[in-house]
Amino acid sequence: MTDDTPDDGSIETDGGHATEELPAGEDHDDHGLPPMSSVKRWFLTTNHKDIGILYIGTALFFLVFGGILALLMRIQLWAPRAPGEGLLGPLAYNQAVSAHGLLMVFWFISPFAFGFANYVVPLQIGAKDLAFPRLNALSYWLYLFSGLLFGVSFFQKATFSGGWTMYAPLNIPAYTPEVGATTAILALVMFVASVTVSSVNFLTTMHRWRAEDLRLRDLPLFSSSILLTVWMMLFAFAALLAALIVLSADRLLGTTYFVTQEGGSLLWAHLFWFFGHPEVYIVFFPALGVMAEVFQTFTGKRIVGRKWFVAAMVLVALQSFVVWMHHMFLTAINLQIKTLFMATTIGISLPFDLMVFALIYTLIKGRIRFTTPFLFSFGALLLFIIGGITGVFLGAVVLDYEFRGTYWVVAHFHYVMVGGATALFGALYYWYPKITGKMYDEFLGKVHFALYFVGFNLLYFPMFLAWQTPRRVFDYNPAYTPWHRLATIGGFILAVSFLVMFYNLYRSLQTGADADDNPWEYSSTAEWAISSPPPLENFPGLPSYKGGKLNFVSKVTGGATDGGEVTDGGTAVATAAGAGHGTAAATAHEEEHASHASFWPFLLSLAGFLTFVGVSGINKGGLYTPLAAVGGLGVAGSLVGMAREPFTVPSPELAEKWPFDGVEDMKLGMWIFLASDVVLFGAFIGSYLFMRVAEGWRNWHHLIPADHVVMPGLINTYLLLTSSFAVVLAMVAAERGSNKGVVASLVATLALGIGFLINKGIEWQHLFHVHSEAFPEGWELSTNIASSTFYLTTGLHGAHVIVGLLITLYMIPRAWRGAYSGNDKPIEYFGLYWHFVDIVWLFLFPLFYIL
Amino acid sequence: MTGEPAVPETALGLVAQAGGLVPRGTRVEVFNRIYWVFLILGTLVGIVVISYMLWKAYKYRDTGERPAEDEDEDDDRPTLGELPTGSGGGKKLFLSFALSTIIVVSLILWTYGTLLYVEGKTTQDSADQIEVTVEGYQFGWRFIYPNGHRSTTLRVPEDKTVKLKVTSTDVFHNFGIPELKVKSDAIPGQETETWFVAEETGNYTAKCYELCGSGHSYMQADVIVMEQSEYQDWYSQTTPAPEENDSGPESGEGESTETGGESE
């Protein structure tokens, strides 16, 4: 297929002619996947490149969506407005502000970056796909449908109107009663589900599917930035999920977290910013990675101080979790804590200085070509410098006091975040030839950049000059009118620049010149060593960095290769064109097993979407309840369908897996997922402790009826511990090959778990209907903060138990048919989950029953 | 100005406050001094860094000429498929990094002295000050004086420290008077403290700086700074009555949402 197999001398030049036949070849060799021209393919595909394209396209759609809302706001801000004046009413304006923020931060920037990550990271690390292709498709569909769900919220009276920070208690129905506000929160929940699935997938892939001898520290900087981003995402989004679950419960089930006077409002701020600050870096890191990559290519110079650059990123990623309270300097936190967070905040700004200087010094002695991608990256760096300097102002607490809630903050974070997005637009041009196989129009690209850069600065710089304007108001001091007008004009220029971009992208796809495999001189990463666009399974052989350079190796003989015990002896470096052909044939043959199509991720997400729409108005009755029921059935059906679907993903035989050599993909994935679950429960337990301290640790007992006794909890502790033991027995039985033993142990697990739930049900029923002097109406979810934390936290745990039991229910008939005989792995993975649920209970029991 | 500020006895505080470098005075003075230093330094650093960056980018633009093979340094360019490494220049990198660290850290330490001063004043009690409780509600501000007088206009004497205890009866607000550079979160169930000194008599406007609902844009209150004697006269005539005449929508709206905290 391809004959530009690199040998040490002449990799860049000898591509060319043979790649012409590639797309055609790919269409035939599609592994059950319809061709790209077929609409069906896009619903079925699990291929990382297809999904990357879907992500990019969808993210651009949300850019337009959020952008139009921004333009509406800018029109409203043309002049200071009296109530009811202008295009938008007060509530509509608040909706526009909130939806703009949420859409841009959640549904545009990160997914846009992850479109590139999806496409490029497997290519850069030498993987054929992500470790869990169907989960990758699932991430995408959950993302799309969560965005559509957000869209639906506009049609349910009003969408959420409390700002993207969603401060409590404005976020509860007493102040934002619209059904659409609930839907927007649920859309975020669904989005977090997508992020979590995606994080598990990327982390497993990047830790276990790297090409031979590609150490973690050797990852190209774009991939490094993505790896760190994903680690931050895994933990930060778990905290957000906790906040969103609590908020949804407050909105739908009547728990009282955020309406509680003592601490409710601050609890939200803590939970939100614990997520919110890492989120800033989550948004910005991929852009940083792009800048590094693009700078290296178009200056023709390796990044100055590369290892320090990486070290700085690692430092930021770690530190990002200990700076959140700098968003809360004006809440009643004391001086010591302010000092601490001032110090960490300044601390986290310093690594960025180093990265900026590293990029600037990379220019020296370069051969700089001002192509569109470079212009965007260079512009992004310039904008980031302005954003960074104005951020130092905010780090000085005394100044922060005055900037809080003003346009200074708005201007600053737009310079940083949209500055980051600037680099991502550069990425779009940088990888466009690789993704489409066509060159974009360089002239139009430069026009786009010029309009973009002028528009950007006209839009955001005047905001510094009008900084005394409070955020999110449209009645401002008339003295600032000229600055706001300038900003509005800038906003429209920025918008026009995107018309140029869309035209360029579309036009070039039709009439652009065919792109070479490697259109950029001095590019170094692996995606440029294969054809444009790359074939379905990416490489003409197994990529390897043995010897310090990318090679594609293959097995010598095509026949005896089902074992996977590939050693040095069993591989050969393909150097000649002829050998290259052999390689391709051999790999194609071997990979007939790999699956690339599944309809279930789409169906599952669609069903999830329907469920959430139903749940959003479940308190209103009407069509909502049946919709939720239908959706729920769909979810269950799709999950079973997905589990039963035969889907093969051959794990790479030859790969760099440090530090997870001894762990399988599934197990690592489970560990990673559980790590995020630890943060989820941690946030719930933290919330409980926070609210209890706010209430007064001892006073808490007055909120709990005497009927809330230790015994049911104690019995449940025994039940769960015993059930964990039963899972261990099931594993032992599976190792021995005893089907009956497996079935018996799993049935025991199921029975004990059901016992746990029944016991809990009886306990709850009793508490709901308590009739004591203090609680004449019973002790329900909405009774007080103690009942809310108790029911919701143990309820979340109970939901985990139910999920575990459903998995057991699925496994029992399979065990009966001997699926686990001699293969105890699936039971082990389930066991990991089940033991975790067990351990969580060991924390909840003392917290909610004894203390 | 009231007496000497209470300075916490931390080493950092002492160092920072040495030599009278630390801005003190009204919040406006403090803010302006720090803000202008930051602005001038920030602009300077920005111009230097960005010009340097533009100059280098221009200087090393690709002219299309490829030097002869033997020019060693220029020959070492990234090649396709190599394992990534960095290029030299670490010394310069660390020098600039150290320089930027020194600038940023010393700036922040300098302002930390002022932070201690500002915070010290919040906790300090003195007879020569007045204290007002501020309650935010959807969508207005209520000011409660020590004698129980309630109003939606804040009247304060000039040249006197005014301490504010800020809270909210419904959602999260933020109370700020931009001209007087005072600001504090108004959080339901919490009380935050802050202070200010108004040096000139006149009318000012207090605004809300946290999105709080459909009336957020118009959530304002008048602040009237009076001469001290005039203030005394006015204050002696006030009564613990619930409100002033000119406070139209205040009590009705405020009260109705106060109980809004209960869930449905």
Side-chain angles (χ1 to χ4, degrees), chain A residues 493-567:
Chain A
I493 295 177
L494 193 64
V496 167
S497 84
F498 284 107
L499 295 181
V500 177
M501 180 187 86
F502 283 117
Y503 175 75
N504 191 354
L505 298 184
Y506 172 75
R507 187 83 193 135
S508 305
L509 203 58
Q510 312 294 324
T511 60
D514 285 341
D516 290 340
D517 291 357
N518 180 15
W520 313 124
E521 197 181 6
Y522 306 130
S523 65
S524 63
T525 45
E527 74 269 28
W528 304 110
I530 51 177
S531 62
S532 304
L536 189 66
E537 291 184 343
N538 296 348
F539 303 107
L542 282 175
S544 161
Y545 283 88
K546 221 171 178 58
K549 214 162 172 23
L550 176 65
N551 284 305
F552 296 111
V553 297
S554 68
K555 291 157 205 104
V556 187
T557 49
T561 52
D562 45 33
E565 22 81 53
V566 178
T567 56

Side-chain angles (χ1 to χ4, degrees), chain A residues 302 339 361 368 401-402, chain B residues 62 87 96 112 119 183 185:
Chain A
R302 299 183 187 88
T339 306
Y361 290 142
I368 303 168
Y401 284 170
E402 311 311 332
Chain B
D62 187 19
S87 47
S96 337
Y112 187 68
E119 293 281 305
K183 199 176 277 173
D185 282 336

